[in-house]
Amino acid sequence: MRSDAVKTGMQQAPHRSLFNALGLTKEELSRPLVGIVSSHNEIVPGHMNLDKIVEAVKLGVAMAGGTPIVFPAIAVCDGIAMGHIGMKYSLVTRDLIADSTEAMAMAHQFDALVMVPNCDKNVPGLLMAAARINVPTVFVSGGPMLAGKVHGQKRSLSSMFEAVGSYSAGTMTEEEVEEFENKVCPTCGSCSGMYTANSMNCLTEVLGMGLKGNGTIPAVYSERIKLAKHAGMQVMEMYRRNIRPRDIMTKDAILNALTVDMALGCSTNSMLHLPAIAHEIGWDFDITFANQISEKTPNLCHLAPAGPTYIEDLNEAGGVYAVMNELAKKDLLNLDCITVTGKTVGENIKNCVNRNPEVIRPIDNPYSQTGGLAVLTGNLAPDGGVVKKSAVCEEMMVHEGPARVFDCEEDAIAAIKGGKIVPGDVVVIRYEGPKGGPGMREMLNPTSAIAGMGLGSSVALITDGRFSGASRGASIGHISPEAAVGGPIALVEEGDRIRINIPENRLELAVSEEELAKRKEKWQPREPKVTTGYLARYAAMVTSGNRGAVLEVPKR
């Protein structure tokens, strides 16, 4: 056992004395030590139930012959962090979570791990850690929130942000906003649309690191507790068979995840997290590769905010496995990849039928013949930008308009809510990238303000920051290179014409190369916005959005 390094032999007598201080018995120390990484806290709605999940996992581990030991991981609620300095601390926690989990697991020599995340950065952060530590590991999330209901219609957090925009436009009263406020988030769990948390929990199933239902069983269902017990049992089976994360999270598994991403219409943030996970297994892929996957992968789901269905509906329709089974009908997945079940993807998804063709379109009747995400390139984004095209209305798939340039999110929001943005405009928000932010803030407030002001079908937004999975419309993020390193987005001037062509994956600034060269000569780097603490260290080490904003030690 790996844990023998801390519990067996005379040299480990001091270690055993500390285990005695924890109240562990000889019988417990004779078993494999299973670390349970708990993201539970009392500030994130998606994490408030994780104490129940952890207790169920502990029971499952003990039932199967292991000794469960819990340690924590931090978590930020993106919704609460939105629109202020707190959002600078969201993406950066992904690497902090990975690093701290690696430190705890290596320092205490656990034999196996069960990861219990739920929202946004915890899932990719712990997947990254799992790849690094590479001991048998299973994931079980806290599950999605049930959708709220307002006037008989299902609603979610994105509806709340757009309600604020509608209030600014004078089309909704304060009382109406308050009704949304009290009803759109009715239970614990990750917010109910196909936002980043649910995207990554679903893709964890596809990667093979979570059991069936991990991404879709609602947080408040007792079935979620049963899933957690089975996860605890399964990690012991993985331990006995020595099945490890790097056996599971292979290049083929990541390509499967990217394929299902396209079919589900996941958050654009998956195009930050999948490259970061790939980086941990030694594979750095260019995000433009996603277009090759998109070209052959039909979009089968229009989950909120792209459509009127929610994660609870996906669960009832057969869940992620049913989507995968549809894709397998056209040989779009590698079915030989091993998973935490000890079985292959093909064995797992066999006989998982689509129970609702209105929620999961059959493979021969998709929403579109191409996937839900696209990577755009051109002279404005030489290294790419990402758009959730399944959430873009038809009239904005091709658009040209004047640039309205803002050097921070706050200035853009003031202009949008102040009525200074008009139909046809292309809002450009820059110096919000991984380095420039620092931290690559989500732009849910400006996208929601645009939608709430009734401009969603006539105004585009381009940024070197990123978007919440709750964003919809012609929102193009992750523009690389970012403004802070002198990317072309830093050279855009007020009134420049910008051309967007999503079907052709193009993003162009209608300015001559000679003029751009002149502007580049005059451009000067900005002084860092933050010079102390974790954000300053992050800014010094982070790479661009097209590489997944992974951290690298600066070259000397």
Side-chain angles (χ1 to χ4, degrees), residues 199 202-203 206-207 250-266 270-271 274 283 285 289-301 320 323-335 337 345 349 363 368-373:
S199 294
C202 288
L203 295 183
V206 185
L207 284 168
T250 61
K251 180 178 177 179
D252 283 336
I254 291 170
L255 291 177
N256 279 349
L258 193 54
T259 300
V260 178
D261 187 326
M262 296 297 173
L264 286 172
C266 290
S270 63
M271 292 303 296
L274 287 177
W283 178 39
F285 72 83
F289 180 71
N291 289 336
Q292 298 176 36
I293 301 291
S294 180
E295 285 172 10
K296 61 182 181 181
T297 307
N299 179 224
L300 304 181
C301 299
V320 174
V323 176
M324 294 174 73
N325 206 19
E326 289 290 342
L327 295 171
K329 292 174 183 178
K330 288 198 174 180
D331 298 322
L332 294 172
L333 297 175
N334 186 317
L335 302 181
C337 295
V345 168
I349 68 174
I363 194 73
S368 67
Q369 293 294 337
T370 57
L373 297 180

Side-chain angles (χ1 to χ4, degrees), residues 243-556:
I243 299 173
R244 300 170 181 244
R246 287 184 208 160
D247 301 325
I248 297 170
M249 288 192 287
T250 61
K251 180 178 177 179
D252 283 336
I254 291 170
L255 291 177
N256 279 349
L258 193 54
T259 300
V260 178
D261 187 326
M262 296 297 173
L264 286 172
C266 290
S267 163
T268 52
N269 280 311
S270 63
M271 292 303 296
L272 283 173
H273 302 321
L274 287 177
I277 295 164
H279 180 75
E280 295 293 342
I281 67 165
W283 178 39
D284 288 329
F285 72 83
D286 187 331
I287 62 168
T288 57
F289 180 71
N291 289 336
Q292 298 176 36
I293 301 291
S294 180
E295 285 172 10
K296 61 182 181 181
T297 307
N299 179 224
L300 304 181
C301 299
H302 268 192
L303 296 148
T309 53
Y310 293 79
I311 302 299
E312 63 198 66
D313 302 313
L314 177 61
N315 186 63
E316 295 300 320
V320 174
Y321 278 15
V323 176
M324 294 174 73
N325 206 19
E326 289 290 342
L327 295 171
K329 292 174 183 178
K330 288 198 174 180
D331 298 322
L332 294 172
L333 297 175
N334 186 317
L335 302 181
D336 295 328
C337 295
I338 195 70
T339 71
V340 293
T341 65
K343 300 177 182 178
T344 65
V345 168
E347 291 173 310
N348 285 345
I349 68 174
K350 186 179 180 180
N351 301 323
C352 291
V353 299
N354 179 359
R355 300 192 189 98
N356 189 338
E358 297 301 314
V359 176
I360 304 171
R361 288 281 186 93
I363 194 73
D364 56 0
N365 183 34
Y367 282 102
S368 67
Q369 293 294 337
T370 57
L373 297 180
V375 175
L376 311 186
T377 55
N379 68 346
L380 186 51
D383 294 335
V386 182
V387 63
K388 186 174 183 175
K389 64 180 181 180
S390 61
V392 179
C393 62
E394 186 61 34
E395 48 269 56
M396 289 300 291
M397 296 296 282
V398 178
H399 179 76
E400 179 176 338
R404 304 299 309 279
V405 183
F406 304 93
D407 287 350
C408 66
E409 176 190 6
E410 289 81 0
D411 290 349
I413 292 171
I416 296 165
K417 291 186 175 180
K420 296 179 180 178
I421 303 302
V422 300
D425 284 348
V426 179
V427 176
V428 177
I429 306 177
R430 61 191 181 189
Y431 293 100
E432 291 285 8
K435 285 185 180 292
M440 206 178 187
R441 289 194 289 181
E442 285 184 344
M443 299 293 148
L444 180 56
N445 273 344
T447 58
S448 298
I450 287 170
M453 296 285 282
L455 298 170
S457 61
S458 60
V459 169
L461 194 154
I462 295 172
T463 181
D464 53 8
R466 60 194 178 94
F467 294 110
S468 165
S471 294
R472 61 187 176 96
S475 304
I476 305 165
H478 310 190
I479 299 296
S480 301
E482 63 175 291
V485 298
I489 192 172
L491 311 179
V492 181
E493 294 183 357
E494 186 80 8
D496 285 347
R497 303 292 293 182
I498 292 177
R499 297 174 184 143
I500 300 166
N501 191 318
I502 295 173
E504 295 183 3
N505 302 322
R506 299 298 295 170
L507 180 61
E508 300 285 349
L509 180 62
V511 174
S512 70
E513 290 301 312
E514 292 78 12
E515 174 61 22
L516 287 177
K518 291 178 182 177
R519 294 181 187 180
K520 179 69 172 178
E521 287 181 8
K522 296 178 182 178
W523 179 82
Q524 294 292 326
R526 302 286 180 93
E527 288 295 320
K529 294 178 184 177
V530 180
T531 58
T532 60
Y534 179 54
L535 286 180
R537 295 196 301 276
Y538 180 88
M541 298 175 68
V542 71
T543 62
S544 63
N546 69 299
R547 295 190 55 204
V550 297
L551 300 185
E552 289 185 342
V553 177
K555 294 179 180 179
R556 294 180 181 272

Side-chain angles (χ1 to χ4, degrees), residues 112-252:
L113 296 167
V114 181
M115 306 294 197
V116 188
N118 207 27
C119 291
D120 294 286
K121 311 311 166 296
N122 288 76
V123 185
L126 291 177
L127 285 166
M128 291 162 66
R132 289 184 201 172
I133 301 160
N134 203 35
V135 298
T137 303
V138 175
F139 276 66
V140 56
S141 77
M145 185 184 292
L146 293 178
K149 286 189 177 179
V150 182
H151 305 307
Q153 290 187 315
K154 287 185 177 181
R155 300 289 188 179
S156 61
L157 184 65
S158 54
S159 305
M160 188 69 252
F161 279 92
E162 290 179 15
V164 175
S166 297
Y167 175 78
S168 298
T171 58
M172 189 174 281
T173 66
E174 185 174 348
E175 290 74 19
E176 288 172 322
V177 172
E178 186 175 4
E179 183 177 10
F180 272 71
E181 182 181 329
N182 290 325
K183 293 181 177 179
V184 298
C185 295
T187 73
C188 64
S190 49
C191 295
S192 55
M194 187 52 83
Y195 310 148
T196 306
N198 291 327
S199 294
M200 293 309 302
N201 282 322
C202 288
L203 295 183
T204 297
E205 275 190 65
V206 185
L207 284 168
M209 290 298 293
L211 298 175
K212 180 184 178 183
N214 178 71
T216 60
I217 298 171
V220 295
Y221 284 14
S222 296
E223 189 180 355
R224 176 66 57 176
I225 299 295
K226 293 163 67 175
L227 180 73
K229 291 176 184 175
H230 283 133
M233 297 177 202
Q234 191 58 38
V235 81
M236 295 308 301
E237 178 64 18
M238 292 178 68
Y239 171 76
R240 283 186 279 272
R241 296 178 59 180
N242 196 29
I243 299 173
R244 300 170 181 244
R246 287 184 208 160
D247 301 325
I248 297 170
M249 288 192 287
T250 61
K251 180 178 177 179
D252 283 336

Side-chain angles (χ1 to χ4, degrees), residues 35-48:
I36 302 175
V37 186
S38 172
S39 301
H40 172 256
N41 64 43
E42 296 182 346
I43 190 64
V44 184
H47 290 211
M48 64 181 284

Side-chain angles (χ1 to χ4, degrees), residues 64-123:
T67 297
I69 300 175
V70 180
F71 65 89
I74 64 167
V76 163
C77 176
D78 277 23
I80 294 174
M82 195 72 64
H84 57 89
I85 191 172
M87 183 44 68
K88 294 179 184 289
Y89 286 89
S90 170
L91 178 61
V92 305
T93 63
R94 182 190 70 185
D95 298 271
L96 198 56
I97 290 161
D99 291 348
S100 58
T101 301
E102 175 194 358
M104 287 292 288
M106 298 303 292
H108 302 104
Q109 292 293 287
F110 289 104
D111 296 297
L113 296 167
V114 181
M115 306 294 197
V116 188
N118 207 27
C119 291
D120 294 286
K121 311 311 166 296
N122 288 76
V123 185

